[in-house]
Amino acid sequence: MPQSNSSDVADVIVVGAGVVGAACAYYAARSGLSVTVVDRGPVAGGTTGAGEGNLLVSDKGPGPELELALLSTRLWREMEDGVPAASEYEPKGGLVVASSGAAMDALRHFARAQATAGVTAHEIEADRLREKEPHLAPGLAGGFHYPQDAQVQPALAAARLLRASGARVRTGSEVTAVLTGPGGEVRGVRTPGGDLHAPHVVNAAGTWGGELARLAGGDLPVLPRRGFVLVTEPLPRVVRHKVYAADYVADVASDSAALQTSAVVEGTPAGPVLIGASRERVGFDRTLSVEALRRLAQGATALFPLLAGVRATRAYAGFRPYLPDHLPAIGADPRVPGLLHACGHEGAGIGLAPATGLIVARLLTGAEPPLDVKPFDPGRFPAAA
C-alpha cells in the first residue's frame, strides 16, 4: 500500500470547485484548517459557470433562505473590500415590475412581509419606472426597487475565493469513492490520481451532490433542474438593474417538472445583456430547447421592446441542484461521521455561497454558527427505501 505524502493529507477535503465549494474552502482556511479542493472538471465548470451571478434578496420571502441571503449579502460586500482580484461585483440593485394592478398589490404584500425580515424595498409608481429603467415597456402597473440586490461574475468569484483560500486545488480529478474507517467515519476520498486523506469531507458537488452522498453511504435527494440563458451582443448600458417580472418569484418556488419561464433581464459591465429565466426537470439532458429560448426572447422583449432589434449571440444551459423543499442542505450528514453537505441551493447558490461557507467552517471548528442551521439539516429528508 503506497504511503501518503503531505500533499495528500488535509484537515478537510471540499468536493466541488464551484462558488459554494470555493466559499467553504475560503472560510475553512480562514479558520486555520488546511484544505484540499477536488473537482471532476475545471473551476466553476458546473452550475456556477452557467449562472448569471445573481446575489438576490428580492425573490425571497421571510424565512430561513432569506436569512441566509441577507447574511451572504453582507459577506459579499466584506469580501469585495478584503479579497484581492476583481469579480465584477456590482451592487446595482433589482427592479421587480408588475404588469397589472393585481400583480402590483401582490408585490406590495410581499415587500411588506420582507421588510419585517430586514429587506429594503422601495415602491416605484408606474409613471416613475422609466426613471430607473428608461427603456422599459409602457403600460406597466409599477414595481419595487431592491437596493440590496447585486451581481458578480460567478466564475471569477469562484476563482478569486479559491486563490484567496490558499487551498490545494485538484481539478479534472473525479471522486470515485469516499474512504471510510471501521466505524463508517470519513477518512478521505479516492481519485484516479490517488487517495486523499482528511477526517472531514464537504459535499459541495452541486447537482452531483446526491451521487457523492451515496458514495459515502449517505442519501440526499438532489435533482438537476435545467435552465437556459440567452446572451445578446455587447450593448451600451441599456438595462441598469436586474429587472424581472413579478411571476418569477412564484416560478422559483414551484415544484413543477414542466418547462416554466419568466422574464429576467440584466445588463453586465462587459456589455452583453443576459436573458432568463427558465426551469424544468429533464435530468442531465443538455439538448437545446427552441421553445424555452423562444419564451425567453418573448418575455425579454415584452419588458424591453428595444431588445427585439438586438442580436442574440449565444445561449447556454445549466443545471441547478434542486431539493424538494427548495432549501439547501448545509451541515453534518446524520449517517456518515465526518461528511458535511453544502449543496442543493438550486439557482441561488452564488448568492448564498458566503453564508454557506461560513456555516460549514463554524461547524468544522466547533464554533457557533452565525444563524439557526436547523432548517438546512441534511437529515430532514427520509432515507431512500
Side-chain angles (χ1 to χ4, degrees):
M1 186 173 182
Q3 290 193 340
S4 300
N5 61 54
S6 60
S7 66
D8 296 333
V9 180
D11 293 321
V12 58
I13 295 167
V14 178
V15 182
V19 72
V20 172
C24 290
Y26 174 75
Y27 284 104
R30 287 188 66 182
S31 300
L33 301 176
S34 60
V35 184
T36 297
V37 178
V38 185
D39 197 292
R40 66 199 300 170
V43 171
T47 301
T48 295
E52 296 171 83
N54 295 320
L55 317 179
L56 302 183
V57 300
S58 58
D59 62 343
K60 299 169 181 66
E65 189 181 27
L66 180 57
E67 292 179 25
L68 204 62
L70 287 167
L71 173 58
S72 278
T73 295
R74 176 171 62 81
L75 294 173
W76 271 118
R77 285 197 300 266
E78 290 177 3
M79 286 192 297
E80 186 61 23
D81 292 337
V83 178
S87 61
E88 295 185 10
Y89 176 82
E90 190 180 12
K92 63 185 177 183
L95 183 65
V96 188
V97 297
S99 59
S100 67
M104 190 62 191
D105 287 342
L107 277 183
R108 288 192 189 98
H109 177 76
F110 190 65
R112 280 197 295 268
Q114 289 176 306
T116 65
V119 174
T120 301
H122 304 297
E123 183 170 350
I124 309 297
E125 300 293 336
D127 59 359
R128 292 183 49 235
L129 279 176
R130 290 197 175 189
E131 294 176 16
K132 293 289 184 184
E133 290 289 349
H135 300 287
L136 267 175
L140 294 168
F144 274 83
H145 175 236
Y146 287 85
Q148 290 159 298
D149 283 357
Q151 185 180 29
V152 294
Q153 208 293 340
L156 285 177
R160 175 188 75 161
L161 287 171
L162 284 175
R163 188 181 306 115
S165 75
R168 293 185 291 270
V169 180
R170 300 194 178 204
T171 54
S173 189
E174 182 175 2
V175 171
T176 57
V178 176
L179 308 176
T180 54
E185 71 279 8
V186 161
R187 292 282 182 86
V189 300
R190 176 156 293 155
T191 74
D195 292 350
L196 306 174
H197 301 279
H200 299 284
V201 169
V202 176
N203 175 12
T207 50
W208 299 99
E211 179 181 326
L212 185 72
R214 287 188 290 274
L215 284 177
D219 183 62
L220 201 62
V222 179
L223 294 171
R225 207 176 187 192
R226 186 176 72 182
F228 289 97
V229 175
L230 269 175
V231 184
T232 75
E233 62 188 312
L235 300 171
R237 200 58 184 264
V238 297
V239 183
R240 300 175 178 177
H241 305 80
K242 177 187 176 70
V243 182
Y244 63 86
D247 57 355
Y248 171 76
V249 176
D251 283 353
V252 168
S254 170
D255 293 321
S256 174
L259 174 63
Q260 296 175 304
T261 60
S262 45
V264 180
V265 185
E266 58 192 312
T268 64
V273 173
L274 306 180
I275 297 170
S278 71
R279 49 191 44 80
E280 56 188 326
R281 294 210 307 274
V282 293
F284 285 100
D285 182 3
R286 286 189 174 274
T287 305
L288 191 69
S289 170
V290 175
E291 175 61 17
L293 298 184
R294 183 191 67 79
R295 290 195 201 179
L296 293 181
Q298 186 178 55
T301 55
L303 278 184
F304 290 92
L306 92 165
L307 292 178
V310 170
R311 186 166 55 96
T313 58
R314 64 188 179 99
Y316 58 89
F319 297 99
R320 307 175 183 97
Y322 165 89
L323 282 167
D325 61 1
H326 299 281
L327 289 177
I330 308 172
D333 188 285
R335 291 172 284 275
V336 185
L339 176 65
L340 287 82
H341 297 290
C343 61
H345 297 74
E346 204 166 333
I350 295 162
L352 302 180
T356 300
L358 180 59
I359 290 170
V360 167
R362 296 277 179 88
L363 294 175
L364 285 168
T365 57
E368 185 71 22
L371 46 74
D372 182 11
V373 297
K374 291 187 185 70
F376 311 112
D377 182 5
R380 69 189 187 271
F381 301 106

